[in-house]
């Protein structure tokens, strides 16, 4: 029996939402956890995103739940890791989950795709 691949994301703006959009467009399984009120940096998440709300939780609790429910995490960033992105990397270490950090200064798109694959 093979494991089913699934994109897990909290649906924040940028790469998080792009991963969900790509999965939905491709018909690939996706989901994840959202904070109370399904809030994101730019307001409530659209209902098309199949995320489960954690009532009363904030961004930190959402991030930890998504890392815990994933087999590994990819962080795409530019510059130094900070804020929630840095916290994601710390949760990966704390929960002993693989974490691939790809800096846009070091990889072009095809190199990044190869690293992720």
């Amino acid at each position: 029996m093979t494991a089913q691949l699934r994109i897990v994301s909290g649906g924040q703006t940028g790469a998080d939402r792009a991963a969900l959009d790509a999965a939905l467009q491709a018909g690939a399984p996706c989901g994840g956890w959202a904070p109370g009120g399904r809030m994101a940096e730019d307001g409530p998440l659209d209902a098309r995103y199949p995320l489960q709300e954690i009532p009363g939780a904030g961004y930190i609790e959402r991030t930890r739940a998504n890392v815990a429910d994933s087999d590994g995490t990819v962080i795409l960033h530019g510059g130094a890791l900070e804020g929630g992105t840095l916290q994601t990397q710390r949760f990966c270490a704390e929960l002993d989950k693989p974490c691939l950090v790809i800096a846009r200064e070091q990889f072009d798109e095809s190199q990044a795709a190869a690293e992720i694959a």
Side-chain angles (χ1 to χ4, degrees), residues 9 17-18 22-23 27-28 32 46 75 84 96 103 110 115:
S9 171
R17 205 161 304 153
D46 191 288
I75 296 176
D96 198 28
S110 62
E115 286 291 317

Side-chain angles (χ1 to χ4, degrees), residues 90-110:
R90 289 178 177 157
F91 283 143
C92 289
E94 176 187 318
L95 298 170
D96 198 28
K97 300 284 187 158
C99 182
L100 175 62
V101 179
I102 297 181
R104 70 174 166 233
E105 299 87 11
Q106 297 175 332
F107 295 93
D108 65 25
E109 290 177 19
S110 62

Side-chain angles (χ1 to χ4, degrees), residues 2 9 25 43 56 66 68 71 77 81 91 98 102 107-108:
T2 60
S9 171
Q25 184 175 8
N66 283 318
D71 293 329
H77 75 96
L81 294 183
F91 283 143
I102 297 181
F107 295 93
D108 65 25

Side-chain angles (χ1 to χ4, degrees), residues 12-59:
Q12 282 299 330
T13 59
D16 282 17
R17 205 161 304 153
L20 290 171
D21 288 336
L24 289 169
Q25 184 175 8
C30 63
W33 297 99
R38 292 178 54 90
M39 290 304 294
E41 296 169 358
D42 59 346
L45 288 161
D46 191 288
R48 77 175 181 268
Y49 296 118
L51 304 181
Q52 189 169 357
E53 181 181 341
I54 306 172
Y59 296 132

Side-chain angles (χ1 to χ4, degrees), residues 70-91:
S70 300
D71 293 329
T73 298
V74 175
I75 296 176
L76 306 170
H77 75 96
L81 294 183
E82 57 185 27
T85 308
L86 179 59
Q87 186 60 57
T88 299
Q89 184 183 43
R90 289 178 177 157
F91 283 143

